[in-house]
Amino acid sequence: MSRPSALFIVFEGGDGAGKSTQVHLLADALRAAEYAVTVTRQPGGTALGRSIRDLVLHGDHVSARAEALLFAADKAHHVDQLIQPVGQAGEMVICDRYTDSSVAYQGAGRALGADEVQSLQMWAVADLVPDLTVIVDISPAEGRRRRGDTHDRLEAEEDAFHAAIRAHFLAMAAAYPQRYLVVDGMAPAEHIHEAVCARLGTLGVHLT
Ligand code: TYD
């Protein structure tokens, strides 16, 4: 298999799962193997996205449909302004959260309907699907323990909300195993990283 230069890799999971650690471990490993890498996140990967992030995570109450539209707007702008151009320039993109977060949090968590939110999200991102989505899986109780006392609007929701989100992520991974990798968020970070590297090997990206 030839060495791909531009893959779109996403990390998803509940709040406190340890995604950010994995994002940075993978970015470092790719850079050490001389790949060009852009690391970004949702919401907030652009200037407009950072304004949306403040509104939706730290503002006053936002109605459920408005919340879904704000997250969709963040993604639409982010894909158009950053993810697509960087990919077309031949760079790896690693994104902390993507469309599955919205389908899980707004669709399953807020009960707006997974199918409706999935359609909205796919329209927003012009059908751009990641090459690989890594689900870092932890229980709601463990997520709450790791977050401690600091919570944004979504993190503050009760465990049933987080359980619905977890179930959605696992269902997506089970339905599309060729596009997903599920890792146990309770495992040591280095072990999780090794599993991610091994999976990338199957896509032609060989990291040591
Ligand atoms: P963030 O601080 O980025 O959390 P984390 O480090 O856990 O990724 O907060 C993002 C929050 O927004 C998180 O609670 C998940 C939520 N979210 C949605 O509800 N819908 C979305 O589409 C996205 C991208 C995030």
Side-chain angles (χ1 to χ4, degrees):
M1 185 187 289
S2 64
R3 174 180 150 124
S5 66
L7 291 180
F8 178 27
I9 303 161
V10 167
F11 284 81
E12 293 277 17
D15 297 283
K19 286 180 286 85
S20 308
T21 304
Q22 293 304 321
V23 165
H24 290 107
L25 284 172
L26 180 59
D28 289 349
L30 286 167
R31 287 184 182 124
E34 300 193 346
Y35 285 96
V37 184
T38 292
V39 172
T40 187
R41 71 167 175 178
Q42 294 187 334
T46 60
L48 175 63
R50 284 185 281 284
S51 301
I52 294 174
R53 182 182 173 87
D54 277 347
L55 287 173
V56 82
L57 294 186
H58 306 297
D60 295 334
H61 173 72
V62 181
S63 68
R65 283 168 192 262
E67 181 183 284
L69 289 166
L70 286 167
F71 279 116
D74 167 68
K75 292 195 185 68
H77 192 67
H78 191 192
V79 165
D80 185 69
Q81 296 292 299
L82 193 138
I83 296 176
Q84 284 275 25
V86 167
Q88 276 161 9
E91 281 196 28
M92 298 279 180
V93 177
I94 308 176
C95 193
D96 193 335
R97 296 195 182 279
Y98 191 57
T99 52
D100 286 338
S101 275
S102 201
V103 184
Y105 282 76
Q106 281 69 55
R110 296 279 187 234
L112 288 176
D115 291 347
E116 285 82 351
V117 177
Q118 172 77 16
S119 302
L120 172 68
Q121 288 288 311
M122 285 299 114
W123 182 80
V125 302
D127 294 322
L128 180 70
V129 173
D131 295 293
L132 177 65
T133 299
V134 180
I135 310 282
V136 186
D137 181 47
I138 52 159
S139 68
E142 176 63 13
R144 182 160 29 78
R145 193 188 67 74
R146 291 185 187 182
R147 290 194 301 275
D149 293 333
T150 325
H151 304 285
D152 63 38
R153 278 184 56 252
L154 288 134
E155 289 168 348
E157 292 291 338
E158 60 203 23
D159 280 5
F161 177 89
H162 293 283
I165 286 158
R166 181 189 197 190
H168 175 79
F169 283 138
L170 295 177
M172 288 294 289
Y176 301 99
Q178 69 284 9
R179 288 201 274 114
Y180 286 83
L181 170 70
V182 180
V183 292
D184 178 3
M186 298 299 280
E190 262 313 315
H191 292 190
I192 297 175
H193 176 60
E194 281 163 20
V196 173
C197 292
R199 178 59 180 267
L200 283 175
T202 70
L203 298 176
V205 175
H206 299 290
L207 305 170
T208 44

